[in-house]
Amino acid sequence: MINKILNIELKSKILFATLFLIAGVIISSMFLYRYAIDIERPFPETKQNNNVSQNNDYKPIVYFGVVSRFSANIIYNGYQPLMDYLTENTPYRFELKLSNSYRETVKQLVNNEVSVAFLGSFIYLQSREKYKIFPILKPLNENGKPYFHSVLITKNNSLINSLSDLKNKKLALPSKQSFSGNWLPLYKMSTLNFNIEDLDSVHHFAHHHTVIHQILRNNFDVGVVKDRVAREYKNNGIRILDYSMPIPGSPIVISANTEKEIAEAIIKTLLNVNIKKEKNRELIKNWDKEFSYGFVRASESDYDKIEEILVEVGKANE
Amino acid sequence: MSSIKIRSLKLKSKIILFIGVLFTFLMIGVSFFMLVQWRNLMIESNIERAEDITKAFSINILDALILSESNKTNIEDQLEYLVRDFSKKVNDIKFIAVVDNDNKIMAHSDLSAYSTNKGSLDISSNKTKKIVSAICEHPKYEWIIATVLPLQIAGKRWGVLQIGIDAKPLLNEIKSLFFVLTISTILFTIIILSIAYLSINKITSSFSELTNLLDNIDFELDELKEIPINNDEIGFLIRNVNALQKRLVNSREQLLNAQKQIYHAEKLASIGRLASGVAHEINNPLNGIKSCVYAINKNPENIGQNREYFGLISEGLNHIEMVVQKLLGFAHQQSQIVANVDISEAISKVVKLLNFQLNRKMTNLITNIDSELPTIHADANLIQEVIMNLLLNSIDAIDNNGTIKIDMGKKDDKNIFLNIEDDGEGIKKENLQIIFDPFYTSKEEGQGTGLGLSVSLGIIELHGGSIVVDSTPNKKTIFKIVLPIANKNKIRT
């Protein structure tokens, strides 16, 4: 009898414990279910550290023109950081103003749509007399010299090894207003007694990068671009056949109407960029590669020699 | 046995309950941890996908915005086209919005949004400087993964791109995952608990076997019941129990031997107490024989007289022979025979042996025996010894002309009773509790061993019966014996 009672008591306890366990599992499962399906995730807190940019918003805007040597997005990616640097370090807010051609930028400068502009050396020489524009700065190359080169390029696997192999070949060139667009046909060929008619065809494209892409796509056999652009593709199927003589770097130009304070602010700020300093190296990391080595003051006379050369071939002042 | 089994059951239940609770909650914990990790991975993966979609699409938007800087084209139209085209291509996109720096819509895939002229998300997210994402329940688009990407190149910022991607499939997937994991957990838990139950059952079966062994120890058996002995703690316990059982059997054998010796000693003591009566029984015929021999010697030629004397001598010798045979029979009785015993016959035999003692005290012996009394299954000699002890005590207790009453009958369907009552001096109340103790005696030194009642109690209990005493000093004393009728239980000797 006692055993029976004990058995019943034991069974009741087991039953109670089992029910308690099941109830616990169900209740905990309900809580876990609610927690598990809670997928709500808020936006992260936006840090309000906009004092600097808010101050910049109130600065007077200075428009900075750029010749269309590259496509718009390449220009924004390479030139906008430089604009930001100038905005941070001058009393002005600099904004880029793009154009569809080299000449349009010159017109923007002359028409006071922009106060300052990145021009090419060739278009500057073409325009300086006519529009009274003045170079204030020019970029340095990797050797610390204020020059660049135009280079003759072809594909790595091309059979072309010298200018003599260009006969009946297709030539791609950048803008007619750029030095690279004129160096080979106007200067180099004339020195080698090679006529442009000896080529199969010649075509000018809007941007330097387009020239390279056309060669890589086998649409053209050779092309001419700035050395800074050719270096980007050095390990990507492009090899350099020939270099131009050193050309004074593409100048930053102001017009006669540009405020002196703006020009001085730009000159002072960009000359302060010392690439030997770690801080500045980090700063210019995102700048266009043409500006990676800093700037040096530019004067009109810097470009006289190249102008003379061009005049010699009778084309410079066309 | 049952209590041991219950204890074993409790132990098993406790182990299973403990393992069950522990494992169940452990499984829930592990499953939930896996579920949360899995869910977070799914959320991260979906957010990553949403951000990749947004980044990829932002290239088109940025190109259009940059292009508009130089071409002066109608950027809104261009963006509108891009947004609507892209939202058609990616099925789970709920909306795409391009919002300018003043939180005004530049383009939106949902034309109804133009009425509000603001983006579809909280404008605070528009201030972000990097891509950010959220999962929220939108009042219009329900559950969405919302991604906001600044349309910006360096310091140049046109606004933000907002994309809302349907998050319901993600939610449903997580719900399904929860149910799959829950069912898996339940099934896995049941399987593991079943395995645990079987394992524990196997382990505790050794305990059960040990319990059964202990419960069924038969001290009559020389050989122990064999059970498989494993080389573990339980096996060690079983080996020790076996050794204990052997020791118990030996002890019981020694105890039985000692008991036999006590019975024998007590019997010899009873014979001593019978000695005077026996002597008288022998002396009387001897004196008659002696007288007959003297008369024969005196007149040997009287053949007729001598023949009569020879008859008397023969009768006397027969009487002596009968007395001696009875005495020898009682003295040599061995407690080994178990059979159906007519207890009235046993009483009659004992009364005949005590005839002299009864007569000497002119005892008034009253016997009241039911003639229809059933037999009992017993050792007749042991039962006689009990009756002998009780009657001798009664004879000692009564005065001359005292009364001894023997009542015997059926108590109920299973038992008979035997009451032996005398009107002697009786037993003091304080001694009633100890009279069955060994070596207790109220007689003078040398008159008794003190083992008579103790032995009687042992014999009655051996037969599955009981004996109690009730006494009123100087009035009456009654020993009440109850014995089972034809008890089929084996009587251990």
Side-chain angles (χ1 to χ4, degrees):
Chain A
M1 187 67 173
I2 293 168
N3 292 339
K4 275 186 178 178
I5 293 167
L6 282 171
N7 255 330
I8 292 165
E9 193 185 340
L10 186 68
K11 282 177 181 173
S12 303
K13 279 183 179 175
I14 293 169
L15 185 66
F16 179 75
T18 309
L19 289 174
F20 183 76
L21 186 64
I22 292 169
V25 169
I26 291 171
I27 291 168
S28 55
S29 296
M30 285 169 68
F31 278 108
L32 296 180
Y33 177 74
R34 289 186 68 81
Y35 179 81
I37 63 162
D38 178 19
I39 60 169
E40 188 159 352
R41 298 285 185 280
F43 280 113
E45 288 283 326
T46 305
K47 288 183 180 176
Q48 298 297 328
N49 188 20
N50 294 332
N51 292 339
V52 176
S53 57
Q54 277 175 357
N55 290 338
N56 291 338
D57 290 344
Y58 296 104
K59 291 178 178 178
I61 297 174
V62 175
Y63 288 101
F64 216 124
V66 189
V67 292
S68 58
R69 59 169 67 110
F70 307 132
S71 62
N73 55 357
I74 293 176
I75 290 175
Y76 260 105
N77 281 300
Y79 288 62
Q80 184 61 42
L82 198 147
M83 295 298 105
D84 296 341
Y85 173 71
L86 286 173
T87 301
E88 293 297 326
N89 294 284
T90 65
Y92 307 99
R93 181 154 69 93
F94 289 88
E95 288 207 359
L96 284 173
K97 190 149 235 177
L98 305 188
S99 65
N100 292 316
S101 68
Y102 285 51
R103 288 194 189 282
E104 186 182 341
T105 304
V106 175
K107 283 180 185 172
Q108 286 170 345
L109 189 60
V110 174
N111 297 335
N112 296 325
E113 289 177 45
V114 300
S115 302
V116 60
F118 294 101
L119 291 186
S121 303
F122 192 82
I123 187 69
Y124 163 69
L125 286 174
Q126 279 188 323
S127 310
R128 64 177 182 178
E129 285 299 323
K130 186 175 179 182
Y131 299 112
K132 301 295 180 192
I133 53 176
F134 310 99
I136 54 172
L137 291 168
K138 54 185 175 181
L140 295 169
N141 62 19
E142 69 273 21
N143 300 318
K145 304 292 183 188
Y147 299 102
F148 76 94
H149 296 270
S150 288
V151 290
L152 178 65
I153 56 168
T154 187
K155 283 184 76 171
N156 270 347
N157 57 1
S158 168
L159 297 174
I160 299 168
N161 291 313
S162 68
L163 284 170
S164 57
D165 298 328
L166 291 183
K167 197 167 186 182
N168 296 324
K169 302 296 180 191
K170 293 178 179 177
L171 174 65
L173 296 171
S175 170
K176 282 183 179 175
Q177 280 81 49
S178 70
F179 183 83
S180 299
N182 291 283
W183 164 64
L184 190 72
L186 296 186
Y187 177 73
K188 187 70 179 178
M189 284 184 177
S190 64
T191 58
L192 295 174
N193 291 324
F194 191 95
N195 292 321
I196 200 157
E197 288 78 18
D198 294 332
L199 294 168
D200 179 77
S201 63
V202 178
H203 190 87
H204 288 272
F205 294 95
H207 315 303
H208 286 251
H209 290 88
T210 313
V211 171
I212 291 184
H213 295 157
Q214 289 295 330
I215 294 169
L216 289 173
R217 287 183 191 124
N218 291 325
N219 292 337
F220 286 84
D221 301 305
V222 290
V224 179
V225 293
K226 294 183 87 164
D227 51 357
R228 156 250 181 278
V229 179
R231 273 196 294 273
E232 282 184 48
Y233 295 83
K234 193 175 179 182
N235 298 318
N236 291 292
I238 290 296
R239 65 185 166 92
I240 295 171
L241 289 171
D242 200 4
Y243 290 85
S244 72
M245 72 289 255
I247 310 296
S250 303
I252 295 174
V253 179
I254 58 171
S255 72
N257 299 323
T258 304
E259 292 176 28
K260 194 179 176 185
E261 291 78 9
I262 293 173
E264 284 177 355
I266 293 168
I267 291 166
K268 184 183 173 188
T269 306
L270 292 181
L271 286 179
N272 276 343
V273 178
N274 183 352
I275 60 159
K276 290 176 183 172
K277 290 183 180 175
E278 181 65 32
K279 181 185 164 187
N280 289 333
R281 275 207 293 274
E282 188 63 26
L283 171 75
I284 62 175
K285 192 172 66 180
N286 295 323
W287 291 9
D288 189 280
K289 299 300 173 202
E290 192 170 2
F291 311 135
S292 295
Y293 306 100
F295 293 87
V296 68
R297 271 186 174 276
S299 65
E300 292 179 79
S301 59
D302 295 340
Y303 297 86
D304 290 346
K305 188 176 180 183
I306 190 68
E307 188 177 33
E308 287 171 12
I309 293 170
L310 291 173
V311 167
E312 275 181 20
V313 295
K315 294 286 183 181
N317 286 325
E318 187 180 7
Chain B
M1 172 189 157
S2 300
S3 60
I4 296 168
K5 270 191 173 176
I6 285 169
R7 254 178 256 131
S8 171
L9 183 64
K10 276 184 175 176
L11 181 66
K12 191 161 73 178
S13 304
K14 279 179 182 175
I15 294 171
I16 291 171
L17 200 63
F18 176 74
I19 291 175
V21 171
L22 186 72
F23 190 78
T24 302
F25 282 99
L26 191 68
M27 278 301 295
I28 289 173
V30 170
S31 299
F32 187 67
F33 177 76
M34 281 173 60
L35 173 66
V36 170
Q37 293 299 313
W38 206 334
R39 179 198 66 173
N40 290 344
L41 276 176
M42 286 166 71
I43 289 173
E44 281 173 24
S45 168
N46 276 265
I47 287 177
E48 203 172 317
R49 175 179 172 268
E51 290 185 351
D52 286 346
I53 289 171
T54 309
K55 283 177 188 170
F57 184 56
S58 74
I59 294 169
N60 292 338
I61 299 292
L62 267 174
D63 279 350
L65 289 166
I66 290 168
L67 206 62
S68 71
E69 293 288 323
S70 55
N71 285 352
K72 310 295 181 233
T73 52
N74 187 339
I75 185 62
E76 279 82 7
D77 286 350
Q78 179 68 11
L79 293 178
E80 186 72 35
Y81 167 77
L82 290 171
V83 160
R84 295 184 71 177
D85 184 53
F86 193 70
S87 62
K88 281 178 192 169
K89 287 176 181 166
V90 184
N91 291 332
D92 54 352
I93 285 182
K94 287 278 188 177
F95 71 88
I96 302 175
V98 181
V99 181
D100 68 13
N101 290 327
D102 298 323
N103 298 316
K104 298 286 190 303
I105 293 176
M106 296 170 76
H108 204 296
S109 59
D110 182 357
L111 297 178
S112 65
Y114 285 105
S115 58
T116 60
N117 200 26
K118 63 177 185 179
S120 296
L121 299 171
D122 183 6
I123 58 168
S124 64
S125 61
N126 294 348
K127 294 175 183 172
T128 183
K129 290 185 174 177
K130 59 177 184 179
I131 188 167
V132 289
S133 296
I135 301 177
C136 55
E137 193 169 14
H138 193 277
K140 185 172 183 181
Y141 305 112
E142 299 180 331
W143 280 101
I144 55 165
I145 302 169
T147 305
V148 179
L149 175 75
L151 296 167
Q152 183 170 357
I153 295 177
K156 176 68 177 176
R157 185 184 177 105
W158 287 269
V160 292
L161 171 65
Q162 299 175 344
I163 293 185
I165 292 176
D166 192 4
K168 260 190 174 177
L170 170 66
L171 191 61
N172 291 335
E173 211 174 336
I174 290 170
K175 282 179 181 174
S176 303
L177 183 63
F178 178 86
F179 288 118
V180 167
L181 270 177
T182 302
I183 291 165
S184 306
T185 303
I186 290 169
L187 286 177
F188 195 61
T189 305
I190 288 169
I191 290 167
I192 292 293
L193 287 183
S194 301
I195 292 168
Y197 177 80
L198 293 174
S199 304
I200 292 165
N201 235 1
K202 197 177 177 185
I203 292 167
T204 54
S205 66
S206 299
F207 279 118
S208 298
E209 284 184 41
L210 184 60
T211 305
N212 288 331
L213 175 69
L214 291 172
D215 191 53
N216 295 320
I217 281 180
D218 189 345
F219 293 103
E220 300 294 328
L221 294 175
D222 292 328
E223 290 181 3
L224 299 175
K225 185 180 177 183
E226 284 186 4
I227 60 169
I229 300 174
N230 297 324
N231 192 22
D232 55 14
E233 287 78 1
I234 296 168
F236 178 74
L237 190 59
I238 291 172
R239 277 194 290 274
N240 278 290
V241 168
N242 281 339
L244 177 65
Q245 188 188 10
K246 281 181 183 172
R247 287 203 298 275
L248 283 171
V249 169
N250 290 336
S251 297
R252 179 163 174 81
E253 281 173 359
Q254 288 172 6
L255 183 64
L256 284 172
N257 286 335
Q259 205 172 27
K260 280 177 186 173
Q261 287 173 7
I262 289 170
Y263 289 174
H264 190 61
E266 176 54 25
K267 186 170 279 183
L268 291 176
S270 298
I271 290 167
R273 292 167 73 183
L274 286 170
S276 60
V278 169
H280 181 77
E281 288 282 341
I282 293 173
N283 263 343
N284 281 344
L286 271 180
N287 284 332
I289 291 167
K290 200 175 176 181
S291 297
C292 288
V293 169
Y294 176 76
I296 291 168
N297 281 334
K298 199 173 179 182
N299 192 5
E301 287 84 16
N302 190 346
I303 296 169
Q305 182 189 287
N306 287 351
R307 188 173 289 139
E308 186 184 348
Y309 284 153
F310 278 125
L312 289 171
I313 288 167
S314 178
E315 191 180 333
L317 287 172
N318 284 340
H319 185 74
I320 290 168
E321 187 184 21
M322 186 191 72
V323 170
V324 170
Q325 276 179 350
K326 281 181 189 174
L327 190 62
L328 286 174
F330 183 70
H332 290 156
Q333 284 166 0
Q334 295 296 315
S335 300
Q336 288 177 344
I337 303 163
V338 177
N340 286 338
V341 174
D342 182 352
I343 201 158
S344 60
E345 194 181 321
I347 292 169
S348 177
K349 283 183 181 174
V350 173
V351 168
K352 281 178 183 172
L353 272 173
L354 295 172
N355 214 10
F356 173 74
Q357 278 86 345
L358 292 167
N359 289 335
R360 192 176 63 182
K361 282 199 170 182
M362 292 168 286
T363 306
N364 182 22
L365 180 65
I366 303 168
T367 56
N368 185 14
I369 297 172
D370 184 354
S371 58
E372 300 292 320
L373 201 64
T375 57
I376 63 167
H377 199 69
D379 183 330
N381 295 323
L382 290 176
I383 296 298
Q384 284 178 38
E385 192 171 342
V386 172
I387 296 167
M388 174 73 80
N389 270 318
L390 295 177
L391 283 175
L392 278 171
N393 284 345
S394 292
I395 291 166
D396 288 346
I398 59 173
D399 295 327
N400 287 343
N401 299 313
T403 302
I404 294 174
K405 190 177 174 184
I406 300 173
D407 278 333
M408 198 174 70
K410 202 172 172 185
K411 187 172 183 286
D412 51 43
D413 290 343
K414 294 181 179 175
N415 298 289
I416 61 159
F417 70 89
L418 168 62
N419 294 344
I420 297 175
E421 182 183 337
D422 67 66
D423 58 355
E425 61 185 290
I427 304 164
K428 290 176 184 174
K429 192 178 178 182
E430 62 267 25
N431 291 333
L432 282 174
Q433 302 295 323
I434 56 173
I435 61 166
F436 290 105
D437 290 351
F439 306 112
Y440 167 77
T441 179
S442 61
K443 296 184 178 73
E444 291 176 9
E445 196 173 336
Q447 296 293 310
T449 60
L451 290 171
L453 287 177
S454 172
V455 166
S456 298
L457 175 66
I459 290 169
I460 294 299
E461 286 183 344
L462 193 66
H463 286 78
S466 66
I467 179 170
V468 293
V469 62
D470 188 13
S471 179
T472 307
N474 297 319
K475 199 172 179 184
K476 69 169 182 178
T477 298
I478 180 166
F479 282 88
K480 298 175 180 175
I481 296 170
V482 174
L483 284 167
I485 296 169
N487 189 356
K488 289 179 183 174
N489 288 339
K490 195 176 182 181
I491 299 167
R492 298 183 178 102
T493 57

